[in-house]
Amino acid sequence: MFALMRRNRRPTALRHLVSACTRDLPPRLPVAGPLPSHHILCAGTYSPVFARLAAESALAACPPDLRSQLRLFIHVDGVAGRARAELMAWLREIPGVELTYGLFGILPQDRIPGKWHQVMVNDVCREFQAEPHIAFIDADLFVVDGSWWQQCGAHLSEQVYALSVGLRQNSTLTLAGQCHTAIRTNLFTLNTQVHLALNQQRFSKDQRAATLLQAEYPQARLELGNMDSMIGGSLRAQAHGYQVLDVGGKVPHCHIGGFSHLSAGKFKDYRNPERRQSITGLLAQARLLARVLDHFDRRGWGDRVDRVYRDKVAQMNAFIAGEAALAQMQVELPPAPREIVFEQVAAATGA
């Protein structure tokens, strides 16, 4: 049975039946106050250490007059039973955070590919559909002041499908002369009822959602980069007349980035002048990743960092140190905006 479930990477009734044995959900409470509930998705053993800091930074950044009205959830899944209880107890050390386990039907045996992100977003929307809007925070995104909550208070309405910190400029739908752009999914809100009614994207790499969108609007021009979370849903909602608002320029934040950002191979052809801008960004990213791991170590969280992740960070920084030109470029590189924000986050969370 488990072999069958591993081959079927998307949740099925069988998966949810098995995960129900360990499911742990908080009581359904009435929605009160102006803030949408906020949700951090935390699958497997790579995310929890980042999720804890994301939750702490969100709580520290939330304005004092709104903090009592903020419901902040970390949704954990896909952790083996031998480690689950201790991990959940560690996350419960964060005051004011609510935890769930087993909401998505992810098994400990699963590799957690990117396609699960859309599955988790859809499941949370169904679970919290009594709220008009809900918000999602990437496990490795940290906010530093009250700007995000100010934007939520100022802009959320029935006609707004999503607030988003950034847009996917390479994923667009042009219809009747108007260009709609898909949202990024690092920090965003969703109109729950509109999403449940209009979204057809089942998982992050679901090409069927793009096919259905193009079929619904054959006269439109659909241009996509790599298919990813919320592309189909956010473009379709805009085509139906709902608003997507990009507030990225108004919300200081630091996004760390996952395994896909880590590779010494990204520095190939670094002497090519045309790659100068991308190389400097990667050098800043490498410096930030080392700083983040140092922060975790200083807080006593070092044993919670995924070993493969730590090894890849070390290999990348060793490669940079071994290339004199790269190392010198990194030394001369001024702090990037997200490096500056991370230092503020570290100070605000007490380390």
Side-chain angles (χ1 to χ4, degrees), residues 21-262:
C21 299
T22 55
R23 188 169 300 168
D24 181 14
L25 304 180
R28 296 174 184 270
L29 300 178
V31 178
L35 290 183
S37 61
H38 281 61
H39 302 267
I40 298 172
L41 307 175
C42 183
T45 57
Y46 156 71
S47 299
V49 67
F50 294 97
R52 175 158 179 172
L53 187 58
E56 289 185 354
S57 73
L59 290 168
C62 185
D65 59 318
L66 296 177
R67 199 168 299 156
S68 63
Q69 303 170 32
L70 173 64
R71 291 191 74 188
L72 178 61
F73 293 84
I74 300 178
H75 300 289
V76 184
D77 211 346
V79 179
R82 61 183 179 275
R84 186 183 308 140
E86 193 273 336
L87 172 63
M88 298 294 279
W90 182 69
L91 291 173
R92 285 192 178 97
E93 293 175 2
I94 314 169
V97 170
E98 300 178 65
L99 299 182
T100 74
Y101 186 84
L103 182 61
F104 312 117
I106 300 175
L107 304 178
Q109 298 94 328
D110 285 325
R111 176 177 174 267
I112 313 296
K115 67 170 61 179
W116 279 93
H117 185 256
Q118 183 74 52
V119 173
M120 294 188 280
V121 168
N122 293 346
D123 283 352
V124 171
C125 271
R126 281 189 288 269
E127 190 70 24
F128 291 84
Q129 62 183 283
E131 297 186 52
H133 299 269
I134 59 177
F136 293 87
I137 307 174
D138 250 10
D140 57 356
L141 184 138
F142 315 124
V143 290
V144 75
D145 63 21
S147 302
W148 169 249
W149 286 272
Q150 292 167 7
Q151 296 301 313
C152 289
H155 297 298
L156 292 183
S157 69
E158 291 182 1
Q159 286 303 308
V160 172
Y161 174 71
L163 300 185
S164 177
V165 171
L167 299 175
R168 301 183 189 273
Q169 299 296 340
N170 63 346
S171 296
T172 61
L173 178 73
T174 303
L175 180 64
Q178 186 171 3
C179 182
H180 305 299
T181 307
I183 66 171
R184 289 191 179 276
T185 56
N186 306 133
L187 178 59
F188 66 104
T189 67
L190 281 182
N191 184 318
T192 54
Q193 294 306 310
V194 174
H195 181 75
L196 292 173
L198 296 182
N199 176 64
Q200 295 179 329
Q201 190 169 344
R202 300 163 299 168
F203 54 97
S204 295
K205 308 302 180 185
D206 186 6
Q207 295 292 337
R208 170 181 166 273
T211 302
L212 291 172
L213 182 62
Q214 185 69 80
E216 183 174 352
Y217 298 100
Q219 74 279 22
R221 186 173 75 254
L222 179 63
E223 297 182 351
L224 299 180
N226 294 326
M227 192 63 182
D228 213 333
S229 299
M230 292 306 307
I231 289 177
S234 61
L235 291 178
R236 194 162 189 263
Q238 290 174 83
H240 279 254
Y242 291 93
Q243 293 178 303
V244 161
L245 303 178
D246 178 11
V247 298
K250 301 176 181 178
V251 179
H253 63 283
C254 171
H255 181 230
I256 299 301
F259 282 106
S260 63
H261 299 267
L262 298 171

